[in-house]
Amino acid sequence: MSGKITKEELEEMREIFGKIDLDSDGYIVDYELHELLKEAGHALPGYMVREIIQKLDRNKDNKISFDEFLSIIQELRGSEIAKTFRKAINRKEGILAIGGTSELSSEGTQHSFSEEERYAFVNWINSALEKDPDCQHVLPMDPNTDSLFTSVGDGIVLCKMINLSVPDTIDERTINKKKLTPFTIQENLNLALNSASAIGCHVVNIGALDLKEGKPHLVLGLLWQIIKIGLFADIELSRNEALAALLRDGETLEDLMKLSPEELLLRWANFHLENAGWQKINNFSSDIKDSRAYFHLLNQISPKGTDEEQPRIDINMGGFSEKDDMKRAEAMLQQADRLSCRQFVTPADVVSGNPKLNLAFVANLFNKYPALTKPENEDIDWGLLEGETREERTFRNWMNSLGVNPHVNHLYGDLQDAMVILQLYEKIKVPVDWNNKVNKPPYPKLGTNMKKLENCNYAVELGKTAKFSLVGIGGQDLNDGNATLTLALVWQLMRRYTLNVLEELGDGQKVNDDIIVKWVNKTLAEAGKSTKISSFKDKEISSSLAVLELIDAIQPGSINYDLIKTGSLSEDDKLENAKYAVSMARKIGARVYALPEDLVEVKPKMVMTVFACLMGRGMKRV
């Protein structure tokens, strides 16, 4: 304990405490801390927030008084917390760094943001969209100013970056590009946010207005998610079979498929470092600060002239023995530049070990020069390498967009301890007893699987209380990663989530498929439209005309009928209509997760979500 808290500090602590204590009852409880973390851009799942409260709560009354708050601050002074609570509450416990704010969503809130990220993202966007005619009004942006935050304000750059990360997400015909008005800008921002959500970005706390006003921490947070999805797209075995070269002795493809993109990148870097005779690294922060691992990595992956399409590039290792860290980092980046890979990091970012930007730097190196050869090994079962289905990807993106923790990279493997499923129950308002019924990671070395299985059993038990149809599904099936049965549970979670939104809008009235179909037909008829649907299996839906007409009924004049293909339609015509329909639904404010192919093939589950989201949007018409 170091010294007393001064009078000024006491006032500041009281002010900060008051800002967290939303209902001013003199105590901080879990939902108040949850709100604070969300505001600070560090949203955590409910159970983690409750754990923080438990750790800090001295008299065990499940809330933190001002005195408890002060004693915690005093204990932490001079170590984790230098001068104020703002810096961090014990990061080692995974708690948080509060981003320079104590003002909760009031006007003029000052959130800190990373100038390093701003600089990196501006350069990346400038080069990515350099030749795009629709972005010339804002590009190139100056990385040394805040021009990024005004440049994203009309939504065009965001839409373009989403399409770069996941091609064809947004139908270009739906982006408003000319003579923009406040209304057409709002539409672009809706389109960007709902499309970002559909590719798995967590955008729950970001609104169109935040982007229009260019709130730095929110803009950077969203851009990082979009950029990262693009960088990681091919760091996945089914998309890149050469990654099998990273298999270690005794491992199967299945083991490799369980690794996250971050883990695969680390393994990739170490594979090349081992070939260079250099020691392995454990992270892309403290272990790369001296640039020496990077020098070896660049030297290993640079083209050796064996491929006609890639001329030989020799990496100059001269800077390797430079005494000064910054000069060594600059020399290394000059070599990266010869591979056209000087992106995301400055010498200072390397020397400070910025984990986010170094991860992006390495991901970009991998995408351009993986330097791996697919092993011609007889005992590798390549049959395992089926990419995920559209349905699996949609479910995974839906979960990630709700901010589950950890991020779901592999639908079955990442649900085997049920932690994500339990968080999804909370999202559909099914209470979860985190304290007594859930085993939380890290799991003990012995009996890990038993702990995970208990969670899975509890997840199935909760499903029964939620009146899910779980015939023949047990906890063991989730724990085994049984695809069919896991999907059956996940679909019911997504369906309930979708229906809950409608019930909230309809003052709690129960909603089912029939009610949605009736609403769709009634809305179409009242707007004088000729289409109707008999159910979500109706083959007529494959033309997307019912969806397009419904959008036009909800927001009259929004659909450009010249763009719609009618009459006898080829599969390509249907797909064009479906792409237009999905993007238009998002543009008028419906958070649609389904893909155009789901409409063309009339996949009843996904079709139901499209009409349910549009019904939700339609009910908001005041």
Side-chain angles (χ1 to χ4, degrees):
M1 242 158 60
S2 59
K4 283 205 160 134
I5 289 181
T6 66
K7 193 170 168 213
E8 287 81 10
E9 285 174 321
L10 190 69
E11 281 311 302
E12 185 177 21
M13 295 304 163
R14 198 172 288 287
E15 187 188 339
I16 291 171
F17 186 85
K19 299 267 166 58
I20 310 175
D21 177 16
L22 299 177
D23 57 8
S24 308
D25 66 349
Y27 295 96
I28 298 174
V29 291
D30 55 5
Y31 85 88
E32 291 171 329
L33 188 54
H34 194 261
E35 278 304 306
L36 175 83
L37 296 174
K38 210 159 81 175
E39 280 296 325
H42 293 278
L44 290 178
Y47 76 89
M48 285 188 176
V49 176
R50 286 189 285 279
E51 277 183 3
I52 294 173
I53 295 278
Q54 281 166 5
K55 279 199 182 80
L56 308 184
D57 174 21
R58 301 290 155 97
N59 63 359
K60 302 297 172 218
D61 59 356
N62 283 328
K63 52 191 181 184
I64 299 175
S65 68
F66 183 61
D67 287 343
E68 284 172 325
F69 181 78
L70 269 188
S71 67
I72 293 152
I73 297 297
Q74 217 164 346
E75 276 181 30
L76 293 172
R77 285 181 79 194
S79 53
E80 294 302 307
I81 294 189
K83 285 284 192 291
T84 71
F85 182 61
R86 283 196 186 125
K87 288 284 166 65
I89 298 185
N90 199 346
R91 284 177 204 203
K92 286 197 179 59
E93 295 296 330
I95 297 177
L96 87 150
I98 292 180
T101 179
S102 56
E103 304 262 342
L104 278 187
S105 68
S106 61
E107 276 311 305
T109 301
Q110 287 303 308
H111 286 265
S112 72
F113 67 92
S114 154
E115 289 187 10
E116 294 80 9
E117 281 176 34
R118 180 193 67 193
Y119 187 86
F121 298 169
V122 164
N123 287 328
W124 180 249
I125 294 167
N126 279 345
S127 69
L129 300 178
E130 185 180 18
K131 295 187 171 66
D132 191 313
D134 301 321
C135 299
Q136 298 312 306
H137 63 302
V138 290
L139 296 186
M141 299 175 276
D142 181 347
N144 296 306
T145 68
D146 283 345
S147 63
L148 170 64
F149 306 124
T150 48
S151 299
V152 297
D154 65 12
I156 296 176
V157 164
L158 288 170
C159 287
K160 298 284 186 172
M161 290 305 292
I162 288 167
N163 271 352
L164 272 179
S165 285
V166 183
D168 280 342
T169 299
I170 296 174
D171 185 332
E172 282 268 343
R173 297 173 295 178
T174 60
I175 305 173
N176 300 320
K177 298 171 182 175
K178 298 275 184 290
K179 297 191 181 121
L180 295 176
T181 65
F183 177 73
T184 56
I185 286 172
Q186 170 87 18
E187 285 189 320
N188 280 349
L189 293 167
N190 284 342
L191 178 58
L193 280 170
N194 288 325
S195 301
S197 186
I199 64 170
C201 296
H202 178 38
V203 298
V204 172
N205 311 320
I206 310 174
L209 190 62
D210 297 317
L211 298 176
K212 199 171 178 180
E213 291 175 356
K215 291 193 174 160
H217 65 292
L218 294 175
V219 169
L220 291 174
L222 177 59
L223 276 174
W224 169 240
Q225 292 186 75
I226 295 169
I227 290 169
K228 187 172 164 188
I229 287 168
L231 286 172
F232 283 6
D234 289 332
I235 308 175
E236 205 261 310
L237 256 166
S238 63
R239 309 262 302 251
N240 199 332
E241 293 185 348
L243 280 164
L246 305 178
L247 276 170
R248 292 183 183 150
D249 285 348
E251 274 187 336
T252 64
L253 275 189
E254 244 174 328
D255 297 322
L256 208 52
M257 286 162 77
K258 284 180 184 158
L259 298 182
S260 69
E262 289 93 334
E263 290 166 328
L264 276 172
L265 272 182
L266 197 57
R267 190 177 282 209
W268 170 75
N270 282 325
F271 170 84
H272 287 303
L273 290 175
E274 197 177 320
N275 289 340
W278 191 251
Q279 68 249 36
K280 64 182 252 192
I281 57 173
N282 296 309
N283 54 57
F284 295 123
S285 48
S286 56
D287 287 3
I288 50 81
K289 287 179 174 183
D290 65 5
S291 302
R292 292 196 165 106
Y294 280 162
F295 262 112
H296 281 298
L297 180 58
L298 293 172
N299 197 29
Q300 287 293 315
I301 65 175
S302 63
K304 304 294 181 261
T306 47
D307 182 345
E308 284 172 21
E309 287 171 25
Q310 282 190 329
R312 183 184 176 100
I313 299 174
D314 288 315
I315 295 299
N316 177 352
M317 298 288 281
F320 186 85
S321 47
E322 165 63 55
K323 297 272 188 294
D324 180 83
D325 280 351
M326 285 290 274
K327 286 180 183 164
R328 192 183 318 111
E330 173 55 37
M332 179 277 294
L333 287 174
Q334 284 175 11
Q335 297 309 305
D337 199 18
R338 296 178 57 221
L339 300 177
S340 301
C341 288
R342 185 170 187 155
Q343 283 286 3
F344 294 112
V345 288
T346 60
D349 298 327
V350 176
V351 174
S352 68
N354 181 314
K356 194 181 280 188
L357 297 180
N358 278 285
L359 178 69
F361 172 68
V362 175
N364 188 43
L365 285 176
F366 172 87
N367 287 327
K368 292 209 171 138
Y369 299 99
L372 296 174
T373 311
K374 179 180 169 182
E376 300 301 326
N377 215 333
E378 272 66 72
D379 49 3
I380 290 181
D381 180 5
W382 295 104
L384 282 170
L385 273 194
E386 285 175 22
E388 63 183 345
T389 64
R390 279 203 319 271
E391 185 180 38
E392 288 162 357
R393 188 165 83 234
T394 303
F395 287 150
R396 198 168 57 78
N397 286 343
W398 168 68
M399 294 172 187
N400 287 329
S401 77
L402 295 178
V404 293
N405 198 340
H407 185 88
V408 181
N409 294 301
H410 309 294
L411 193 58
Y412 308 110
D414 293 350
L415 303 188
Q416 284 175 316
D417 66 352
M419 287 302 281
V420 167
I421 291 174
L422 295 170
Q423 289 168 58
L424 292 171
Y425 275 120
E426 276 204 321
K427 306 279 183 201
I428 61 165
K429 302 186 174 46
V430 172
V432 176
D433 183 349
W434 293 101
N435 292 332
N436 303 310
K437 292 283 186 76
V438 181
N439 303 310
K440 302 182 200 80
Y443 301 106
K445 283 265 190 316
L446 273 173
T448 293
N449 214 41
M450 197 62 218
K451 297 285 184 201
K452 292 179 177 181
L453 182 57
E454 285 169 3
N455 286 352
C456 292
N457 289 334
Y458 180 48
V460 171
E461 194 184 306
L462 282 179
K464 288 175 179 156
T465 64
K467 307 259 187 309
F468 284 0
S469 160
L470 296 175
V471 181
I473 301 181
Q476 189 70 54
D477 299 310
L478 298 179
N479 189 240
D480 291 342
N482 178 306
T484 312
L485 300 177
T486 303
L487 281 179
L489 172 58
V490 171
W491 160 242
Q492 292 181 76
L493 285 162
M494 185 176 184
R495 177 185 161 81
R496 179 67 57 87
Y497 180 82
T498 309
L499 295 178
N500 278 0
V501 173
L502 288 182
E503 284 165 16
E504 280 165 21
L505 289 168
D507 301 325
Q509 285 178 313
K510 284 280 167 251
V511 179
N512 58 29
D513 288 10
D514 286 347
I515 288 169
I516 300 171
V517 170
K518 279 190 184 117
W519 181 89
V520 168
N521 288 331
K522 178 168 171 278
T523 307
L524 285 167
E526 282 174 359
K529 307 291 185 191
S530 55
T531 46
K532 59 179 195 296
I533 61 170
S534 55
S535 72
F536 300 133
K537 294 179 180 153
D538 187 336
K539 288 292 169 231
E540 292 298 314
I541 291 169
S542 74
S543 71
S544 295
L545 289 180
V547 180
L548 288 159
E549 297 233 284
L550 182 61
I551 292 168
D552 202 65
I554 292 167
Q555 192 171 304
S558 58
I559 296 295
N560 177 351
Y561 278 82
D562 294 342
L563 298 176
I564 303 178
K565 309 267 199 308
T566 52
S568 133
L569 300 179
S570 67
E571 289 304 300
D572 284 351
D573 291 339
K574 288 178 179 177
L575 191 58
E576 285 299 296
N577 280 354
K579 284 179 180 172
Y580 185 50
V582 168
S583 283
M584 281 308 300
R586 292 174 184 155
K587 182 175 172 177
I588 67 162
R591 187 148 287 175
V592 170
Y593 290 92
L595 296 165
E597 292 83 355
D598 298 323
L599 289 176
V600 174
E601 294 166 24
V602 195
K603 298 282 187 198
K605 291 175 184 168
M606 290 300 139
V607 167
M608 173 264 176
T609 64
V610 173
F611 283 115
C613 289
L614 283 168
M615 179 174 170
R617 170 62 184 80
M619 289 163 74
K620 282 185 193 159
R621 279 187 299 172
V622 180

